[in-house]
Amino acid sequence: MLNLSFLWQSIAIIRNLIASKAHSVVYRTFCFVQLPMASLFQKFQKAVKSLAKRPAFSKDPRQLQFEADINRLFLYLSYNRLGKSADEADVEEIIERSSKTSAADQQIQVQENVHSQIKTFCTFMDEILLPNEKTVTDPFESSQQANTLPRRSGLSFAVGSSVSPTNDSAVPQTKPLSQAEVSQKLKDQLGYTLSVKPSQIPHKDAGQGLFVDGAVDVGAVVAFYPGVVYSPAYYRYIPGYPKVDAQNPYLITRYDGNVINAQPWGSGGDERQLWHGRKMREIKADVKGVEKGSEKLWKLLSKPLEGNHVDNSEVLELRNPVALAHFANHPPKGVLPNVMICPYDFPLTENNMRIYIPNILFGNAEVKMRRFGSFWFKSGALKNSGSHIPILKSLVLVATRALQDEELLLNYRLSNTKKRPQWYAPVDEEEDRRRWS
């Protein structure tokens, strides 16, 4: 029954994918069935609404929305992997697979497809930045190098530790290219790059926006969401806690509760360095408002935790031209988003790729946590990863249609339990409710 609830999304997405392809034969074939498909879409849309009201689904609407998002990502990324030679039979197979494959298996496939694209990206970056005599990163050497670097937990990010990295000499030598030069070379290799400039959204609070410079295919991984990753166990270390978003709009939350703070990353930099995430870079939140007395008292009683903890640093490539997802704006009213969030669990065993993943983890131990409503509680002692492959929980943006020299628009899905900004126009209220239920 749950697969049936995804089928209407499958049909709508595939129609969108076909419309964006230049394959004229496929396009003409689907034009003839456009009206019947539109009618079928309406029927499935009604079926989904009725199914969502049944007790089996209403018990955990948040999980339902997560699986719906994974289903969409499965479609987009599978279609992208087929390439430009995809025909009608391929499209039909994707639809059939999406209706028969479990959400868990779809999630695995999504991770594999995202990882494959990022691996290609990392290869291009190696070719651009590494010395000519070594254009491909040696996994063994990267592993050896990683073992010599200090491993710190990141718990001093919020308290402004004065400890400075001491292993700058361990940072690999790269070509002396600026971020702008790397960006242009990546466009030559990948077909596109990203840039930050004034948004085209007609609202006074739009500010800066994120733009694609070049052409992007449907289902392509367009951008990384950079910054410091906080698991639920470390929420109280987020700067500004408990109202962490009051002065920082560069925060985003995964379904599993991990929060990424992109403010320390800013716009990146012009070098590869040992990065610890403490320094606030070029961007500052343009958030206005006057604190009420009760809010000041709440902040005083609930300020971020402080303490002496081991700090976490990683050698990261700050010139990464696509580590700018935090600049993507929410679409204005009547305009659909052209990218969507995709959770990406980067395997830390991929030493040769690690340098291009613009995130570091806050905390050096995994803590068992359970969620009750809006709150998280410890449900066990600290534990090590054991035999499992260690991962870094991050986020990327995936294109939901073909893009060409335009602004990236991301559905922010702000919670409907709090007062929303004036500029926020919901894309789908029902999805917002399920996301934050």
Side-chain angles (χ1 to χ4, degrees):
M1 292 177 66
L2 186 58
N3 288 334
L4 178 64
S5 70
F6 291 145
L7 191 52
W8 68 272
Q9 292 181 11
S10 304
I11 294 171
I13 291 172
I14 294 300
R15 287 179 60 210
N16 186 34
L17 295 175
I18 291 298
S20 68
K21 296 289 280 185
H23 200 296
S24 60
V25 175
V26 177
Y27 181 77
R28 285 197 300 270
T29 301
F30 272 72
C31 279
F32 286 115
V33 296
Q34 185 172 8
L35 290 178
M37 285 186 68
S39 176
L40 189 61
F41 171 78
Q42 293 295 330
K43 290 181 180 179
F44 278 108
Q45 189 176 36
K46 292 179 181 178
V48 170
K49 289 182 179 180
S50 63
L51 285 170
K53 295 178 182 178
R54 296 184 182 182
F57 295 99
S58 61
K59 285 181 180 178
D60 194 355
R62 183 187 181 91
Q63 181 64 21
L64 174 62
Q65 189 56 54
F66 170 71
E67 292 180 2
D69 288 346
I70 290 297
N71 181 256
R72 292 171 181 168
L73 290 165
F74 174 82
L75 289 163
Y76 290 132
L77 291 160
S78 297
Y79 190 78
N80 179 274
R81 196 157 193 171
L82 286 174
K84 297 183 181 298
S85 60
D87 56 22
E88 184 179 353
D90 295 325
V91 171
E92 289 176 350
E93 183 180 352
I94 292 176
I95 295 177
E96 185 177 2
R97 287 179 60 198
S98 70
S99 64
K100 293 181 178 180
T101 307
S102 69
D105 288 340
Q106 287 188 25
Q107 192 172 359
I108 292 172
Q109 189 62 56
V110 165
Q111 291 296 312
E112 290 179 355
N113 286 348
V114 169
H115 187 71
S116 176
Q117 289 194 42
I118 291 178
K119 194 169 186 177
T120 300
F121 162 78
C122 292
T123 299
F124 286 150
M125 290 293 286
D126 273 352
E127 292 174 356
I128 293 169
L129 287 167
L130 296 188
N132 292 331
E133 65 273 13
K134 183 180 177 184
T135 57
V136 179
T137 303
D138 184 343
F140 176 77
E141 181 174 327
S142 296
S143 177
Q144 293 293 100
Q145 185 182 76
N147 291 333
T148 66
L149 296 178
R151 306 290 298 183
R152 301 193 276 177
S153 72
L155 294 180
S156 63
F157 297 159
V159 300
S161 170
S162 60
V163 178
S164 300
T166 57
N167 270 0
D168 286 346
S169 60
V171 179
Q173 292 297 313
T174 60
K175 296 177 182 178
L177 300 173
S178 67
Q179 187 182 50
E181 291 171 322
V182 173
S183 182
Q184 182 56 51
K185 288 181 179 295
L186 181 66
K187 182 182 178 182
D188 296 338
Q189 294 267 38
L190 197 59
Y192 73 90
T193 188
L194 301 179
S195 62
V196 177
K197 54 188 178 182
S199 175
Q200 295 179 347
I201 296 176
H203 194 283
K204 60 182 179 63
D205 296 327
Q208 297 288 90
L210 183 61
F211 291 78
V212 167
D213 179 8
V216 174
D217 291 331
V218 181
V221 175
V222 185
F224 292 94
Y225 202 100
V228 184
V229 183
Y230 294 83
S231 71
Y234 299 111
Y235 279 176
R236 292 197 64 186
Y237 293 92
I238 301 177
Y241 179 87
K243 297 191 175 182
V244 295
D245 59 343
Q247 299 295 323
N248 183 5
Y250 302 102
L251 294 166
I252 197 166
T253 307
R254 290 181 24 140
Y255 272 99
D256 58 14
N258 283 274
V259 173
I260 302 178
N261 178 15
Q263 196 170 51
W265 184 267
S267 299
D270 280 320
E271 61 183 346
R272 177 176 293 187
Q273 68 177 46
L274 196 62
W275 194 71
H276 44 69
R278 281 190 239 105
K279 182 180 178 182
M280 293 295 133
R281 292 184 173 270
E282 303 157 27
I283 56 175
K284 291 184 179 180
D286 185 18
V287 181
K288 299 178 182 178
V290 179
E291 283 189 332
K292 298 178 181 179
S294 59
E295 292 179 344
K296 290 182 179 179
L297 177 61
W298 180 244
K299 275 192 172 183
L300 180 64
L301 296 175
S302 306
K303 65 181 181 179
L305 290 178
E306 297 182 1
N308 295 321
H309 299 280
V310 180
D311 191 21
N312 187 24
S313 297
E314 294 281 356
V315 175
L316 298 182
E317 183 52 74
L318 300 185
R319 290 169 290 185
N320 187 336
V322 296
L324 299 168
H326 52 304
F327 285 104
N329 276 326
H330 182 79
K333 187 175 182 180
V335 178
L336 293 176
N338 51 25
V339 293
M340 70 178 292
I341 284 290
C342 176
Y344 172 52
D345 296 340
F346 173 72
L348 290 169
T349 51
E350 295 276 12
N351 295 299
N352 57 324
M353 297 170 61
R354 176 65 183 99
I355 209 159
Y356 299 116
I357 308 302
N359 302 99
I360 53 175
L361 180 64
F362 187 93
N364 60 354
E366 188 177 350
V367 181
K368 290 183 180 180
M369 302 289 290
R370 292 189 66 184
R371 186 174 183 269
F372 296 93
S374 301
F375 300 95
W376 292 85
F377 299 91
K378 288 185 179 180
S379 62
L382 296 177
K383 64 176 184 178
N384 295 323
S385 298
S387 60
H388 299 291
I389 296 176
I391 60 173
L392 179 61
K393 296 182 178 182
S394 64
L395 287 170
V396 296
L397 301 186
V398 172
T400 57
R401 62 171 175 81
L403 305 172
Q404 176 75 52
D405 299 323
E406 58 187 286
E407 184 170 1
L408 296 184
L409 300 173
L410 170 68
N411 182 5
Y412 281 8
R413 274 191 184 158
L414 298 184
S415 172
N416 47 22
T417 61
K418 299 179 182 179
K419 185 178 180 181
R420 293 163 167 173
Q422 183 182 3
W423 49 260
Y424 184 78
V427 175
D428 189 314
E429 283 278 18
E430 188 175 351
E431 290 189 355
D432 289 357
R433 282 193 295 272
R434 286 199 295 262
R435 168 65 178 90
W436 298 106
S437 65

